[in-house]
Amino acid sequence: VAATFNVTGLPAGLSATTATDKKSVTISGTPTDYGSSTFTVSATAYGKTSSVSGSVTVAQKLPTIDLAEGDPSQAIEVNKPISTIKYNVGDAASIDVQGLPAGVDYNVNNGIVTISGTPTETGTFNYQVIAKNDEGKASTLNGNIVVTAKAPEKAPTLVLTSGLANQTINEKEAINTITYTASGTATTIEVENLPAGVSASINGLIAKISGTPETIGSTTYSVIATNSEGLQTTLSGTIIVNAVAPIIST
C-alpha cells in the first residue's frame, strides 16, 4: 500500500528517502555527531497513521596519541636529565600522564604533551599517556624510564712521567726535575712536604718538581691527585741531601 512517510528525530548526517512506489522508506547516511537519538517513522494511508520508533547510538571517536619527538623508552642515571619526549594528542578533551619518576613532569600546550625533567629516584617507571574524549573514554600509550644509580666514581690516575721519584744528592746541588701527571677522573694535582728550596710548578694536571734543597737530611714528599668526589690517589718520593765533608788543605 502506498503511503506518505514522515521521519523525525534523526541525528545530523542521516536522512530518510521514500521509495518511488511509496511503499517503504530508507534511512541512511553518516552521523556527524556522537550521542543517542530516538527517531520515529510515521506512515499515513487512507487517512490512518501508524508509527514505529528506533534509536541510533553514535559513539564518540577515541582520541589519537602519536609520538611526536624523542625516545619513549629511556635509561638514564639518577640526577641527570632525560631526553625530552613529546606526544601529539590534539583531539583529546583531557590529558593525563601517570607513572613518571619524581623529578620528571609533563605539560600540555596546543595538543602537545611534553615530558621532561631530571629523575631524583631510581627504579623502572612504566608511564602512561592517557587521552580522554568528552564521554570519558580513553586512549593510552605507554613508555618507560629506567633510572639507575650513579656509577661509583673511580679514583684518579697518577703516574710518574719523567725523572726519579727518589733522589740522593749532595748539599747545594739541584735535584733532577721530577714530573707527575694526573688523568682519568682527576680534577686537581698538588704536591706536599717538599724540602726548602724545592718547589712544584703546576700546569693543569701536570706537576714538575725542581730546585736546590737548602737543608741536609731526608724528606719524603707526596703528590696527590683528587677528583670531584674527593677520591684521591697519592704517590710519594724521597729526596736525600748529604752533607759534603769540608776539604782541608795543607
Side-chain angles (χ1 to χ4, degrees):
V1 176
T4 300
F5 290 95
N6 183 39
V7 181
T8 59
L10 290 175
L14 297 187
S15 61
T17 303
T18 301
T20 55
D21 60 4
K22 297 186 178 181
K23 292 183 179 180
S24 63
V25 64
T26 300
I27 298 172
S28 61
T30 303
T32 57
D33 199 2
Y34 65 91
S36 183
S37 300
T38 298
F39 63 89
T40 301
V41 181
S42 299
T44 302
Y46 305 114
K48 294 183 179 181
T49 300
S50 296
S51 299
V52 63
S53 296
S55 64
V56 177
T57 300
V58 182
Q60 186 183 16
K61 180 183 176 182
L62 288 175
T64 58
I65 308 174
D66 298 310
L67 178 67
E69 180 183 316
D71 186 353
S73 297
Q74 298 186 26
I76 192 72
E77 189 177 279
V78 69
N79 295 322
K80 289 188 177 180
I82 67 167
S83 298
T84 298
I85 310 167
K86 293 185 179 182
Y87 292 92
N88 187 341
V89 287
D91 57 354
S94 66
I95 301 163
D96 190 19
V97 181
Q98 298 177 358
L100 294 172
V104 176
D105 206 349
Y106 75 98
N107 66 74
V108 182
N109 186 21
N110 293 326
I112 299 293
V113 177
T114 301
I115 299 174
S116 61
T118 301
T120 57
E121 59 179 338
T122 60
T124 298
F125 300 89
N126 298 309
Y127 68 87
Q128 190 172 63
V129 181
I130 305 168
K132 293 183 178 181
N133 61 21
D134 290 327
E135 294 180 327
K137 295 181 179 179
S139 295
T140 62
L141 198 59
N142 299 326
N144 67 83
I145 299 173
V146 179
V147 186
T148 59
K150 184 176 181 180
E153 189 81 19
K154 292 183 179 180
T157 299
L158 180 62
V159 295
L160 174 68
T161 48
S162 67
L164 297 175
N166 302 312
Q167 297 188 27
T168 300
I169 60 173
N170 292 325
E171 61 179 312
K172 298 183 180 179
E173 290 181 351
I175 67 169
N176 293 319
T177 300
I178 311 167
T179 304
Y180 289 89
T181 301
S183 60
T185 63
T187 54
T188 63
I189 187 171
E190 59 184 325
V191 181
E192 295 180 347
N193 200 40
L194 290 171
V198 177
S199 62
S201 173
I202 306 296
N203 182 12
L205 294 176
I206 299 174
K208 290 187 176 182
I209 302 170
S210 62
T212 302
E214 298 175 354
T215 57
I216 296 169
S218 177
T219 304
T220 298
Y221 64 89
S222 297
V223 183
I224 305 166
T226 306
N227 66 19
S228 60
E229 297 291 321
L231 294 176
Q232 295 182 330
T233 299
T234 302
L235 294 178
S236 300
T238 301
I239 298 173
I240 299 173
V241 182
N242 293 326
V244 176
I247 300 174
I248 301 174
S249 58
T250 58

